[in-house]
Short mmCIF file of all heavy atoms in Angstrom, two decimals:
data_model
loop_
_atom_site.label_atom_id
_atom_site.label_comp_id
_atom_site.label_asym_id
_atom_site.label_seq_id
_atom_site.Cartn_x
_atom_site.Cartn_y
_atom_site.Cartn_z
N MET A 183 -1.56 -70.38 135.72
CA MET A 183 -2.38 -70.66 136.87
C MET A 183 -3.62 -69.78 136.84
O MET A 183 -4.76 -70.18 137.24
CB MET A 183 -1.61 -70.49 138.17
CG MET A 183 -0.48 -71.46 138.39
SD MET A 183 -1.17 -73.15 138.58
CE MET A 183 -2.14 -72.93 140.06
N ARG A 281 7.80 -84.00 150.94
CA ARG A 281 7.88 -82.81 151.75
C ARG A 281 7.02 -81.69 151.04
O ARG A 281 7.00 -81.61 149.83
CB ARG A 281 9.28 -82.29 151.93
CG ARG A 281 10.03 -82.02 150.64
CD ARG A 281 11.56 -81.71 150.95
NE ARG A 281 12.27 -81.43 149.75
CZ ARG A 281 13.65 -81.59 149.65
NH1 ARG A 281 14.26 -82.06 150.64
NH2 ARG A 281 14.23 -81.36 148.49
N ARG A 282 6.33 -80.95 151.83
CA ARG A 282 5.60 -79.76 151.34
C ARG A 282 6.44 -78.49 151.32
O ARG A 282 7.05 -78.24 152.38
CB ARG A 282 4.30 -79.58 152.17
CG ARG A 282 3.44 -78.51 151.71
CD ARG A 282 2.15 -78.52 152.38
NE ARG A 282 1.22 -77.49 151.92
CZ ARG A 282 -0.01 -77.23 152.37
NH1 ARG A 282 -0.55 -78.11 153.21
NH2 ARG A 282 -0.67 -76.26 151.97
N ILE A 283 6.33 -77.84 150.30
CA ILE A 283 7.13 -76.51 150.21
C ILE A 283 6.16 -75.37 150.49
O ILE A 283 5.18 -75.29 149.80
CB ILE A 283 7.76 -76.38 148.74
CG1 ILE A 283 8.57 -77.57 148.42
CG2 ILE A 283 8.56 -75.12 148.68
CD1 ILE A 283 9.70 -77.96 149.27
N ASP A 285 4.38 -72.11 150.18
CA ASP A 285 4.17 -71.22 149.08
C ASP A 285 2.82 -70.54 149.27
O ASP A 285 1.81 -71.24 149.12
CB ASP A 285 4.37 -71.89 147.73
CG ASP A 285 4.39 -70.97 146.57
OD1 ASP A 285 3.99 -69.79 146.76
OD2 ASP A 285 4.92 -71.39 145.49
N ILE A 288 0.09 -69.00 145.54
CA ILE A 288 -0.42 -69.88 144.53
C ILE A 288 -1.95 -69.62 144.35
O ILE A 288 -2.69 -69.71 145.30
CB ILE A 288 -0.34 -71.35 144.90
CG1 ILE A 288 1.15 -71.68 145.28
CG2 ILE A 288 -0.67 -72.25 143.62
CD1 ILE A 288 1.34 -73.05 145.75
N PRO A 289 -2.39 -69.11 143.13
CA PRO A 289 -3.76 -68.89 142.91
C PRO A 289 -4.63 -70.14 142.96
O PRO A 289 -4.10 -71.22 142.79
CB PRO A 289 -3.80 -68.28 141.49
CG PRO A 289 -2.34 -67.91 141.16
CD PRO A 289 -1.55 -68.81 141.93
N LYS A 294 -10.13 -74.23 144.66
CA LYS A 294 -9.38 -74.99 145.60
C LYS A 294 -7.93 -74.50 145.64
O LYS A 294 -7.45 -74.02 144.60
CB LYS A 294 -9.38 -76.49 145.27
CG LYS A 294 -10.82 -77.13 145.12
CD LYS A 294 -10.81 -78.52 144.74
CE LYS A 294 -12.25 -79.09 144.53
NZ LYS A 294 -12.98 -79.10 145.72
N GLN A 295 -7.27 -74.65 146.73
CA GLN A 295 -5.88 -74.21 146.89
C GLN A 295 -4.91 -75.28 146.61
O GLN A 295 -4.85 -76.28 147.13
CB GLN A 295 -5.69 -73.68 148.34
CG GLN A 295 -4.35 -72.97 148.59
CD GLN A 295 -4.14 -71.71 147.80
OE1 GLN A 295 -5.09 -70.85 147.81
NE2 GLN A 295 -3.10 -71.57 147.09
N PRO A 296 -4.05 -75.01 145.57
CA PRO A 296 -2.97 -76.02 145.20
C PRO A 296 -1.89 -75.96 146.34
O PRO A 296 -1.82 -74.96 147.02
CB PRO A 296 -2.40 -75.53 143.92
CG PRO A 296 -3.46 -74.54 143.38
CD PRO A 296 -4.11 -73.96 144.51
N ILE A 297 -1.23 -77.09 146.51
CA ILE A 297 -0.08 -77.14 147.34
C ILE A 297 1.15 -77.65 146.59
O ILE A 297 0.99 -78.35 145.57
CB ILE A 297 -0.36 -78.09 148.51
CG1 ILE A 297 -0.63 -79.56 148.07
CG2 ILE A 297 -1.46 -77.60 149.39
CD1 ILE A 297 -0.74 -80.54 149.17
N HIS A 298 2.30 -77.24 146.93
CA HIS A 298 3.54 -77.44 146.28
C HIS A 298 4.23 -78.65 147.08
O HIS A 298 4.47 -78.57 148.30
CB HIS A 298 4.48 -76.27 146.36
CG HIS A 298 5.76 -76.45 145.64
ND1 HIS A 298 6.72 -75.44 145.58
CD2 HIS A 298 6.33 -77.46 144.84
CE1 HIS A 298 7.80 -75.86 144.87
NE2 HIS A 298 7.49 -76.98 144.39
N MET A 299 4.41 -79.74 146.38
CA MET A 299 4.99 -80.98 147.01
C MET A 299 6.16 -81.49 146.20
O MET A 299 6.35 -81.21 145.07
CB MET A 299 3.93 -82.10 146.97
CG MET A 299 2.72 -81.89 147.74
SD MET A 299 2.95 -81.81 149.57
CE MET A 299 3.82 -83.32 149.88
N GLN A 300 7.14 -82.08 146.96
CA GLN A 300 8.28 -82.82 146.35
C GLN A 300 8.25 -84.25 146.86
O GLN A 300 8.14 -84.50 148.01
CB GLN A 300 9.57 -82.14 146.71
CG GLN A 300 9.75 -80.79 146.04
CD GLN A 300 11.09 -80.15 146.33
OE1 GLN A 300 11.71 -80.48 147.34
NE2 GLN A 300 11.51 -79.25 145.51
N ASP A 310 8.58 -82.83 141.46
CA ASP A 310 8.40 -81.51 142.03
C ASP A 310 7.00 -81.06 141.36
O ASP A 310 7.01 -80.91 140.13
CB ASP A 310 9.52 -80.55 141.64
CG ASP A 310 9.44 -79.29 142.47
OD1 ASP A 310 8.29 -78.78 142.62
OD2 ASP A 310 10.50 -78.79 142.90
N MET A 311 5.96 -80.86 142.19
CA MET A 311 4.71 -80.70 141.60
C MET A 311 3.83 -79.83 142.47
O MET A 311 3.98 -79.72 143.66
CB MET A 311 4.00 -82.13 141.34
CG MET A 311 3.93 -82.87 142.66
SD MET A 311 3.36 -84.61 142.29
CE MET A 311 3.05 -85.11 144.00
N TYR A 312 2.79 -79.28 141.76
CA TYR A 312 1.71 -78.54 142.40
C TYR A 312 0.46 -79.42 142.23
O TYR A 312 0.12 -79.85 141.04
CB TYR A 312 1.53 -77.19 141.75
CG TYR A 312 2.65 -76.15 142.08
CD1 TYR A 312 3.80 -76.25 141.21
CD2 TYR A 312 2.55 -75.37 143.08
CE1 TYR A 312 4.88 -75.39 141.50
CE2 TYR A 312 3.57 -74.46 143.40
CZ TYR A 312 4.75 -74.48 142.56
OH TYR A 312 5.79 -73.62 142.83
N VAL A 313 -0.23 -79.72 143.33
CA VAL A 313 -1.32 -80.62 143.26
C VAL A 313 -2.53 -79.91 143.90
O VAL A 313 -2.42 -78.98 144.75
CB VAL A 313 -0.92 -81.97 144.02
CG1 VAL A 313 0.21 -82.65 143.37
CG2 VAL A 313 -0.85 -81.83 145.53
N VAL A 314 -3.74 -80.45 143.50
CA VAL A 314 -5.04 -79.92 144.14
C VAL A 314 -5.81 -81.05 144.66
O VAL A 314 -6.17 -81.92 143.91
CB VAL A 314 -5.85 -79.09 143.05
CG1 VAL A 314 -7.15 -78.58 143.71
CG2 VAL A 314 -4.99 -77.97 142.43
N LYS A 315 -5.99 -81.05 145.90
CA LYS A 315 -6.75 -82.10 146.57
C LYS A 315 -8.22 -82.10 146.15
O LYS A 315 -8.82 -80.95 146.10
CB LYS A 315 -6.57 -82.01 148.07
CG LYS A 315 -7.22 -83.13 148.86
CD LYS A 315 -7.09 -82.98 150.31
CE LYS A 315 -7.75 -84.11 151.17
NZ LYS A 315 -7.58 -83.94 152.57
N PHE A 366 -1.66 -87.03 146.83
CA PHE A 366 -2.00 -85.76 147.44
C PHE A 366 -3.06 -84.95 146.66
O PHE A 366 -3.45 -83.90 147.03
CB PHE A 366 -0.78 -84.89 147.67
CG PHE A 366 0.31 -85.54 148.49
CD1 PHE A 366 1.34 -86.21 147.85
CD2 PHE A 366 0.28 -85.47 149.90
CE1 PHE A 366 2.41 -86.75 148.68
CE2 PHE A 366 1.22 -86.05 150.64
CZ PHE A 366 2.30 -86.68 150.04
N GLY A 367 -3.41 -85.50 145.55
CA GLY A 367 -4.44 -84.83 144.70
C GLY A 367 -4.01 -84.84 143.23
O GLY A 367 -3.10 -85.56 142.84
N LEU A 368 -4.67 -84.12 142.37
CA LEU A 368 -4.31 -84.14 141.01
C LEU A 368 -3.21 -83.12 140.66
O LEU A 368 -3.26 -81.96 140.99
CB LEU A 368 -5.56 -83.62 140.18
CG LEU A 368 -5.32 -83.53 138.62
CD1 LEU A 368 -5.23 -84.95 138.02
CD2 LEU A 368 -6.54 -82.75 138.04
N PRO A 369 -2.15 -83.64 140.12
CA PRO A 369 -1.08 -82.74 139.77
C PRO A 369 -1.42 -81.79 138.59
O PRO A 369 -1.79 -82.33 137.55
CB PRO A 369 0.08 -83.72 139.31
CG PRO A 369 -0.28 -85.01 139.93
CD PRO A 369 -1.73 -85.12 139.88
N ILE A 370 -1.41 -80.54 138.76
CA ILE A 370 -1.70 -79.57 137.79
C ILE A 370 -0.41 -79.03 137.10
O ILE A 370 -0.55 -78.51 135.95
CB ILE A 370 -2.61 -78.40 138.30
CG1 ILE A 370 -1.78 -77.66 139.36
CG2 ILE A 370 -3.96 -78.94 138.70
CD1 ILE A 370 -2.48 -76.37 139.91
N GLN A 371 0.63 -79.21 137.77
CA GLN A 371 2.01 -78.93 137.20
C GLN A 371 2.96 -79.85 137.80
O GLN A 371 3.09 -79.95 139.03
CB GLN A 371 2.41 -77.43 137.41
CG GLN A 371 3.80 -77.15 136.81
CD GLN A 371 4.08 -75.63 136.77
OE1 GLN A 371 3.16 -74.82 136.42
NE2 GLN A 371 5.19 -75.28 137.21
#
Side-chain angles (χ1 to χ4, degrees):
M183 291 299 295
R281 62 191 179 202
R282 180 171 179 175
I283 308 300
D285 193 336
I288 311 176
K294 302 177 186 295
Q295 186 65 48
I297 59 174
H298 185 182
M299 297 294 303
Q300 290 184 338
D310 191 318
M311 58 190 188
Y312 291 84
V313 302
V314 182
K315 184 179 180 180
F366 299 100
L368 178 70
I370 58 172
Q371 178 169 317

